[in-house]
Amino acid sequence: MDSGKVNDVGILAMDIYFPPTCVQQEALEAHDGASKGKYTIGLGQECMAFCTEVEDVISMSLTVVTSLLEKYQIDPKQIGRLEVGSETVIDKSKSIKTWIMQIFEESGNTDVEGVDSTNACYGGTAALFNCVNWVESSSWDGRYGLVVCTDSAVYAEGPARPTGGAAAIAMLIGPNAPISFESKFRGTHMTHVYDFYKPNLASEYPVVDGKLSQTCYLMALDSCYKRFCSKFEKFEGKQFSISDADYFVFHSPYNKLVQKSFARLYFNDYLRNSSVVEKDAREKLEQFSNLTGDESYQSRELEKVSQQVSKPLYDVKVQPSTLLPKQIGNMYTASIYAAFASVIHNKYSTLMGQRIVMFSYGSGLSSTMFSFKLQDGQHPFNISNIASVLNVSEKLEKRHVISPENFVETLKLMEHRYGAKGFETSKDTSLLSPGTFYLVNVDSMYRRYYAKKDTEEEATSAKSLSCKNSSLANGH
Amino acid sequence: MDSGKVNDVGILAMDIYFPPTCVQQEALEAHDGASKGKYTIGLGQECMAFCTEVEDVISMSLTVVTSLLEKYQIDPKQIGRLEVGSETVIDKSKSIKTWIMQIFEESGNTDVEGVDSTNACYGGTAALFNCVNWVESSSWDGRYGLVVCTDSAVYAEGPARPTGGAAAIAMLIGPNAPISFESKFRGTHMTHVYDFYKPNLASEYPVVDGKLSQTCYLMALDSCYKRFCSKFEKFEGKQFSISDADYFVFHSPYNKLVQKSFARLYFNDYLRNSSVVEKDAREKLEQFSNLTGDESYQSRELEKVSQQVSKPLYDVKVQPSTLLPKQIGNMYTASIYAAFASVIHNKYSTLMGQRIVMFSYGSGLSSTMFSFKLQDGQHPFNISNIASVLNVSEKLEKRHVISPENFVETLKLMEHRYGAKGFETSKDTSLLSPGTFYLVNVDSMYRRYYAKKDTEEEATSAKSLSCKNSSLANGH
C-alpha cells in the first residue's frame, strides 16, 4: 500500500449535460387538468427536461464525458477507472460503461477498471465512493477516476409523470481535490422496501408508491443523520448540528421533499437539544416532542411548523442547491450532483473552507449522508473553473420549451421504442448543440449506433467510430 | 487515511450454493438430437444446474449469505459493506443487495454500504475489487466486507442452451486474509462489443454471438496477460511466465474455452521467448509465429497444436479448477469463483505460499487478470476450514438428476414467470436442503416473498420476516 501518499481525495472537475428539450410545469399542470399550483407549488418544480427520440442515457454519457475531457484538457489515457451510476436500463447485461469505452479505445486506452453500479438513484453515489476508494487503495495506478451519473426519468400518465427529468453528470476523481471527502463522517442506512422499483421489465416506467417512498426517504434521512452526527462526535469530540455545515444538498425527486427534509433535520436538532434551534422555534416545536417516530412522519402539522421555523436557514443553506433540480426535474442518480453543481454555480466565489453535507437516497432502499470540504485547487481543478465549465446559466437559457402535447407524444413514441430493434431515429439534431451525441439507429440485432453533431470534419470522424464498431460487431 | 494499518486484504471466508436440481449433458445431447459428444466433449461439460420455480438469484443469495454467517459464526452486525455482482435482472432499479438486507435488518444492522455491480459475468469481480478497496480506504470502519455473486444462466432453445448454469457464492473480505490480493499485478482490458448482451428486456434470454464472444474472450485474455506481465516485471524486476503461478483460474462459460485459454497463454509465453516453453513445443509452435493476431484467433491448427503441447501443464495448473464449472455449468458472475473454490476443494492442503492467477471476463466487455497469494490463516479463516465449509463433494453428491424433458418444461414455465406478477409457486421444497430459502409468491404489485425451509420453529421465524416486510410495504 502506498500509505499516506494520497490526501484530499475527491472531485477534481465536473461537467453536466441535460437535454435542450423541456416542458414547463405550469403548462403541464394545465394540460393535465391538475389544480393550479399542483406541480409548481405542490411539488415545487418549475420545468422538466426530457430526452427526445435522438437522445438516451448512453448518448448523454458520451456527450458529457467528451465535454469534460476536452474542457479540462484531460488525455483519455490518463483515466484508469470509469464507473457509471444509472437506473435506466437499456441492456440488462452490457454496462453503459462499455459504450463509453468507445471514447477511450479511440486513444488506445482499454486499461480502464470499473463497471456500472445499480440501486435506483443511489448508483452514482456508489460509483463515486468506489472511485474514491480505488484512489486510496493499493491497486491505484496513479491515474484519474471518472464517475458518470446518467438517467432518464419517465413515468406513466398519472400523478408521478411531472416528477420526471433527464441529465448526465461526469466527475473526475483524484487526490488534492478542491472538493474532498471527509470520509470519516459517513452515515449509511439500507433496508429492503418496495417504495419505488422497476419489476415490469418490458416497460421503462417504474412502479411507485409515492407516499411510502416519501416516508422511507425521511426515515432514511433520520437514520443517516443520526449516524453521521455520531461519527462526527466520535472523531471531532463535539456535537454536530446543522450550524456546522454551510450547505445541505439532498437527492431531489421534487423540491417539496427537499424542503421537508431540511425541516426534518432541524426537528432532529431540536430533539437533540442543539443550540441552533432558537427559543422561539423551540416553543413552536415543543408540542411535537412526544410524537413517536411513526406519528412524526405522518403529522402534517409538524411538517408545516418545522418548515416554517427552519425557513430562514433553508434559504441560506439549501436554496442555493435547488436551481437545477427545479429546472430539470428528477435526474435519478444525477439529481444530487446536479443540486451540488447548483451550489457551485451560485456560490463559487465564497466556498473555500466550507463544508457541504450531502444526502443520497435510492429507493429499495440505499442511503448515505456524507460531507465535502471545499478548498483552493490548482487550475484547471479549482472551484471557479468548475463553475465556468458547468456553465449553468447559458445551458438553461439555450433550452427549447416544448408543448405538453408534444411531450406526451414523445413519451408515447418512446414507449414503443423501449426494448425495440430495427428502427432509425429521425436524426433530427436541430435542437442539439454541436458536440452532442445522438442515436442514429438500432439494427435488427439491437445494436445501437450513435453519431456526434459537429462540424463536417468532426462528424465524419464520429461516423467512422460507429462504422468501426459496426464492422467489429459483424466481422467475426 | 489509516495508512499502513491493513495488510493482506482479501478473502477470509467463502461459501457456495447451487440448486440441487441438474440435468446431465449426455442426456441433454440425446434429447436435443445433437451429435454424441457435442456437449460433453465439444463444450467439455458434464452436468448443468438450474433453478426450478421455487429458486432464483435472490433466494440463492439469501441461502448462501445465511449459511456463510452461520458457518463462520459471523455476527451480522460485523458486516459494514455488502456488494452483489449479478447479471440476472429481476428488478431494473431495486438492487439484489436490498433483498439481502433482510438478514441484516433482523439483527438491527442497516449500516451496510454497497449496492449491485453490473457487467455480464464480470460484476462479481467488480464487487470484489470494490470491497477490497473499501477496506484499504480511509472510509473503512473496521468491519468486514461481503461479496455475493449470484446468477441463473438460461438460454433460448438452440446451441447455447447447454451452456446454462446457476449458483451463488459469498466471500467475506478483510485484512490478514489467507487469500490475499497481489494488487499491483493487475491487467485490465475493456472495450465496446456486442458479443453477448440482453437487450430484449422482456426475455430472460440473452442475444449471443458465440463465435464473436469466443474471439473477444481470447483477445481480452491476451491483452490482460500482456498488462499483467508488464506490471509484474515492473514491480518484481523479472519476466513473468506461466511457471510463476501454481494455478490459473479462468471464467468458464464452458470448459472447452478454458482449455483454449490456457493454450493461448502458453502460446503467448512462446512468443515472448519464455523458457517455460520447451524445445519440443517450440518447434511445433514455430509454424504459427508469423500469424497476425486476427489470423491466430481463427487458426484451428494453432488451437489444436497449442492445446496439445500445453496439455501436461494444463493438467497440473488448470484442471483442479474445472470441477464445479463442469458440474454446474456457467454461473456467470459466480463461475470464476466456483472455479477458484474447486482449486481449494482439490488442493487445500498444499496451497500455502502459492500464487493463483485469475482471469475474469464479462461480455460487452470487461476483463481483468489478477492474482492471489495464499497463506496460513487463523481459524475459522484458513484454507482447510474454507474447504470444509464449501463441502463440495457432499453438495454435488446430494443433487437430483432431472430428465431433459422436465428441464425443458421448467424453462417454459419460467419464461411465463419472468417479469410476471400475481402468482404463487408450487412451494415444493422436497428437493431442497433445510436452510434453503425459496420463493413463495409474487403479489399483484410484483412484491416477492421468500421463506426458509427448516425446522418448524425456524420456518415460523422466516415467515414472520416476510410478514414484517409485507406489512411495511402495505402500511404506509
Side-chain angles (χ1 to χ4, degrees):
Chain A
M1 228 183 141
D2 291 326
S3 338
K5 278 195 189 158
V6 299
N7 284 306
D8 296 328
V9 179
I11 302 169
L12 292 162
M14 287 179 83
D15 201 359
I16 184 168
Y17 175 80
F18 45 88
T21 35
C22 62
V23 59
Q24 297 283 2
Q25 293 284 3
E26 201 174 346
L28 197 58
E29 252 172 33
H31 172 269
D32 291 355
S35 55
K36 191 155 174 59
K38 190 171 180 192
Y39 302 168
T40 49
I41 298 163
L43 294 172
Q45 292 297 110
E46 288 166 16
C47 195
M48 176 167 58
F50 63 96
C51 290
T52 63
E53 56 158 330
V54 293
E55 293 197 271
D56 62 24
V57 289
I58 297 168
S59 70
M60 291 195 294
S61 301
L62 292 169
T63 301
V64 78
V65 168
T66 305
S67 171
L68 179 141
L69 295 174
E70 274 173 21
K71 286 181 183 141
Y72 294 91
Q73 297 190 288
I74 306 292
D75 181 339
K77 286 200 178 79
Q78 290 179 271
I79 305 293
R81 190 175 177 104
L82 166 59
E83 288 224 33
V84 177
S86 180
E87 60 161 285
T88 307
V89 172
I90 284 182
D91 192 285
K92 292 181 293 182
S93 169
K94 183 173 160 64
S95 62
I96 294 172
K97 185 263 176 79
T98 61
W99 270 283
I100 306 177
M101 280 309 298
Q102 291 172 92
I103 296 169
F104 299 89
E105 287 174 62
E106 283 266 290
S107 77
N109 180 15
T110 62
D111 182 7
V112 184
E113 276 193 20
V115 294
D116 291 5
S117 284
T118 317
N119 187 84
C121 307
Y122 184 88
T125 296
L128 183 59
F129 288 174
N130 289 341
C131 259
V132 167
N133 291 347
W134 172 67
V135 173
E136 293 183 346
S137 80
S138 64
S139 57
W140 185 49
D141 67 359
R143 292 185 294 163
Y144 297 121
L146 187 58
V147 172
V148 178
C149 306
T150 183
D151 269 305
S152 164
V154 287
Y155 291 84
E157 275 187 70
R161 177 155 276 186
T163 63
I169 286 190
M171 296 179 275
L172 191 74
I173 309 302
N176 309 316
I179 302 156
S180 70
F181 278 80
E182 299 186 304
S183 51
K184 285 295 174 203
F185 316 151
R186 194 178 284 185
T188 288
H189 177 79
M190 306 219 177
T191 63
H192 165 56
V193 282
Y194 288 105
D195 58 332
F196 163 111
Y197 49 121
K198 293 181 176 169
N200 183 353
L201 303 168
S203 165
E204 194 167 3
Y205 301 142
V207 172
V208 51
D209 180 338
K211 182 99 178 59
L212 173 64
S213 195
Q214 183 176 302
T215 306
C216 287
Y217 184 108
L218 295 173
M219 286 172 69
L221 177 66
D222 281 355
S223 177
C224 287
Y225 188 53
K226 199 174 150 189
R227 282 176 187 149
F228 182 90
C229 289
S230 122
K231 294 217 179 135
F232 184 91
E233 283 155 36
K234 181 177 162 192
F235 289 99
E236 296 290 299
K238 57 175 183 176
Q239 202 191 33
F240 182 90
S241 80
I242 48 180
S243 62
D244 290 302
D246 298 285
Y247 299 99
F248 286 85
V249 172
F250 299 87
H251 166 60
S252 177
Y254 47 91
N255 178 258
K256 190 74 181 183
L257 187 54
V258 171
Q259 298 172 34
K260 291 180 187 178
S261 295
F262 185 72
R264 188 84 204 172
L265 292 189
Y266 191 88
F267 181 59
N268 269 276
D269 274 5
Y270 160 74
L271 293 175
R272 298 164 67 235
N273 279 316
S274 163
S275 59
V276 74
V277 182
E278 288 176 9
K279 189 161 174 287
D280 182 45
R282 207 174 293 136
E283 279 164 8
K284 287 184 179 146
L285 290 171
E286 208 183 340
Q287 54 180 314
F288 308 106
S289 59
N290 292 323
L291 293 183
T292 65
D294 254 6
E295 285 166 352
S296 77
Y297 297 116
Q298 307 310 326
S299 166
R300 288 285 177 111
E301 196 54 28
L302 168 59
E303 207 174 274
K304 206 180 110 190
V305 173
S306 58
Q307 278 185 60
Q308 185 205 347
V309 292
S310 62
K311 179 78 168 52
L313 278 177
Y314 174 90
D315 289 343
V316 175
K317 290 178 187 283
V318 182
Q319 194 276 334
S321 71
T322 61
L323 174 66
L324 287 171
K326 278 174 157 181
Q327 282 293 330
I328 302 176
N330 192 357
M331 300 151 263
Y332 289 160
T333 55
S335 278
I336 181 175
Y337 300 102
F340 177 65
S342 304
V343 178
I344 294 181
H345 167 72
N346 283 314
K347 299 287 174 184
Y348 62 91
S349 62
T350 59
L351 291 173
M352 302 318 133
Q354 299 204 322
R355 170 180 291 139
I356 299 186
V357 168
M358 311 279 292
F359 176 64
S360 180
Y361 178 86
S363 291
L365 68 85
S366 318
S367 60
T368 300
M369 183 173 281
F370 58 102
S371 66
F372 289 134
K373 197 85 187 181
L374 275 68
Q375 51 207 337
D376 277 339
Q378 288 209 308
H379 188 83
F381 304 142
N382 54 355
I383 302 293
S384 60
N385 190 47
I386 294 173
S388 122
V389 168
L390 287 169
N391 196 15
V392 165
S393 299
E394 194 183 316
K395 283 176 187 164
L396 286 175
E397 275 159 25
K398 280 170 75 177
R399 296 201 291 179
H400 305 271
V401 173
I402 309 293
S403 71
E405 291 74 18
N406 227 314
F407 163 71
V408 170
E409 249 172 59
T410 302
L411 258 60
K412 265 189 197 137
L413 173 64
M414 302 306 274
E415 284 172 21
H416 295 289
R417 290 275 169 86
Y418 188 65
K421 61 180 172 177
F423 64 87
E424 302 218 341
T425 69
S426 68
K427 302 179 201 72
D428 177 359
T429 61
S430 55
L431 303 182
L432 305 180
S433 299
T436 305
F437 283 82
Y438 60 95
L439 180 65
V440 175
N441 71 298
V442 176
D443 75 10
S444 62
M445 294 291 287
Y446 299 94
R447 291 174 296 207
R448 307 173 77 82
Y449 298 94
Y450 297 88
K452 186 180 176 185
K453 173 171 175 173
D454 225 313
T455 62
E456 191 81 344
E457 194 185 2
E458 281 168 312
T460 315
S461 133
K463 278 273 159 46
S464 82
L465 174 94
S466 95
C467 286
K468 194 196 80 185
N469 290 308
S470 158
S471 102
L472 182 58
N474 297 313
H476 298 286
Chain B
M1 226 183 142
D2 290 327
S3 337
K5 278 195 191 157
V6 297
N7 283 305
D8 296 328
V9 179
I11 301 169
L12 292 161
M14 287 179 83
D15 202 358
I16 183 168
Y17 174 80
F18 45 88
T21 36
C22 62
V23 58
Q24 297 283 3
Q25 293 284 2
E26 201 173 347
L28 196 59
E29 252 172 34
H31 172 268
D32 291 356
S35 55
K36 190 156 175 58
K38 190 169 180 192
Y39 302 169
T40 49
I41 298 164
L43 294 171
Q45 292 298 108
E46 288 166 16
C47 195
M48 176 167 58
F50 64 97
C51 290
T52 64
E53 55 157 330
V54 293
E55 293 197 272
D56 62 25
V57 288
I58 296 168
S59 70
M60 291 195 295
S61 300
L62 292 169
T63 301
V64 78
V65 168
T66 305
S67 171
L68 179 140
L69 295 175
E70 274 172 20
K71 287 182 183 142
Y72 295 90
Q73 297 191 286
I74 306 292
D75 181 340
K77 287 200 178 77
Q78 290 179 273
I79 304 295
R81 189 174 177 104
L82 166 59
E83 289 225 33
V84 177
S86 180
E87 61 161 286
T88 307
V89 172
I90 283 182
D91 191 285
K92 292 181 294 182
S93 169
K94 183 174 160 64
S95 63
I96 294 172
K97 185 262 176 78
T98 61
W99 269 283
I100 306 177
M101 279 310 297
Q102 292 174 91
I103 296 168
F104 298 90
E105 287 174 62
E106 282 266 291
S107 76
N109 181 15
T110 62
D111 183 7
V112 184
E113 277 194 21
V115 295
D116 291 3
S117 286
T118 316
N119 187 85
C121 307
Y122 184 87
T125 296
L128 183 59
F129 288 174
N130 289 341
C131 260
V132 167
N133 291 346
W134 172 67
V135 173
E136 293 183 346
S137 81
S138 64
S139 57
W140 185 50
D141 68 359
R143 291 184 294 162
Y144 298 121
L146 187 58
V147 171
V148 178
C149 306
T150 183
D151 268 306
S152 163
V154 288
Y155 292 84
E157 275 187 70
R161 176 155 277 187
T163 63
I169 286 190
M171 296 179 275
L172 190 75
I173 308 303
N176 309 316
I179 303 156
S180 69
F181 277 80
E182 299 186 302
S183 50
K184 286 295 174 204
F185 315 149
R186 193 178 284 185
T188 288
H189 177 79
M190 305 219 178
T191 64
H192 165 56
V193 282
Y194 288 105
D195 58 333
F196 163 111
Y197 48 120
K198 292 181 176 170
N200 183 353
L201 303 168
S203 165
E204 194 167 4
Y205 301 141
V207 172
V208 51
D209 180 337
K211 182 100 179 61
L212 174 63
S213 195
Q214 183 175 303
T215 306
C216 286
Y217 184 109
L218 295 173
M219 286 172 69
L221 177 67
D222 281 355
S223 178
C224 287
Y225 187 54
K226 199 173 150 189
R227 282 175 188 150
F228 181 92
C229 289
S230 121
K231 294 215 179 136
F232 183 92
E233 283 155 34
K234 181 176 163 196
F235 289 99
E236 296 290 297
K238 58 175 183 175
Q239 201 191 35
F240 182 90
S241 81
I242 47 181
S243 61
D244 290 301
D246 298 284
Y247 299 99
F248 287 85
V249 172
F250 300 88
H251 166 60
S252 177
Y254 47 91
N255 178 258
K256 190 73 181 185
L257 187 54
V258 171
Q259 297 172 35
K260 290 180 186 176
S261 295
F262 185 73
R264 188 83 203 173
L265 292 189
Y266 191 88
F267 182 60
N268 269 276
D269 273 5
Y270 160 74
L271 293 175
R272 296 163 68 236
N273 278 315
S274 163
S275 59
V276 74
V277 182
E278 288 177 7
K279 187 160 176 287
D280 182 46
R282 206 175 294 137
E283 279 165 9
K284 287 184 179 146
L285 290 171
E286 208 184 338
Q287 54 180 313
F288 307 106
S289 59
N290 292 323
L291 293 184
T292 64
D294 254 4
E295 285 166 351
S296 77
Y297 297 116
Q298 308 309 325
S299 167
R300 289 284 178 111
E301 196 55 27
L302 167 59
E303 205 175 275
K304 205 179 110 192
V305 174
S306 58
Q307 279 185 60
Q308 184 205 348
V309 291
S310 61
K311 179 77 168 51
L313 278 176
Y314 174 90
D315 290 342
V316 175
K317 290 177 187 283
V318 182
Q319 194 275 334
S321 71
T322 61
L323 175 66
L324 287 170
K326 277 174 158 180
Q327 283 293 330
I328 302 178
N330 191 356
M331 299 151 264
Y332 290 160
T333 55
S335 277
I336 181 175
Y337 300 101
F340 177 65
S342 304
V343 178
I344 294 181
H345 166 72
N346 282 315
K347 299 287 175 185
Y348 62 91
S349 62
T350 59
L351 291 173
M352 303 316 133
Q354 299 204 321
R355 171 179 291 137
I356 299 186
V357 168
M358 311 279 292
F359 176 64
S360 181
Y361 178 86
S363 291
L365 69 86
S366 318
S367 60
T368 300
M369 183 173 281
F370 59 102
S371 66
F372 289 133
K373 198 85 187 183
L374 275 68
Q375 50 208 337
D376 278 340
Q378 287 208 309
H379 188 82
F381 305 142
N382 55 353
I383 302 293
S384 60
N385 189 47
I386 294 173
S388 122
V389 168
L390 287 170
N391 195 14
V392 165
S393 298
E394 195 183 315
K395 283 177 187 164
L396 286 175
E397 275 159 25
K398 280 172 75 178
R399 296 201 291 179
H400 305 271
V401 173
I402 309 294
S403 72
E405 290 75 19
N406 227 314
F407 162 71
V408 170
E409 249 173 59
T410 301
L411 259 61
K412 263 187 198 140
L413 173 65
M414 302 306 274
E415 284 172 18
H416 294 291
R417 289 275 169 87
Y418 188 65
K421 62 180 172 178
F423 63 87
E424 302 217 344
T425 70
S426 68
K427 302 179 201 70
D428 177 359
T429 61
S430 56
L431 302 181
L432 305 180
S433 299
T436 305
F437 283 83
Y438 60 95
L439 180 65
V440 174
N441 70 299
V442 176
D443 74 10
S444 62
M445 294 291 286
Y446 298 95
R447 291 174 296 206
R448 307 172 77 82
Y449 299 94
Y450 296 87
K452 188 180 176 185
K453 174 172 175 172
D454 225 314
T455 62
E456 190 82 342
E457 193 187 4
E458 283 168 311
T460 315
S461 132
K463 277 273 158 44
S464 83
L465 175 92
S466 97
C467 286
K468 194 196 78 184
N469 289 307
S470 158
S471 103
L472 182 58
N474 296 314
H476 299 285

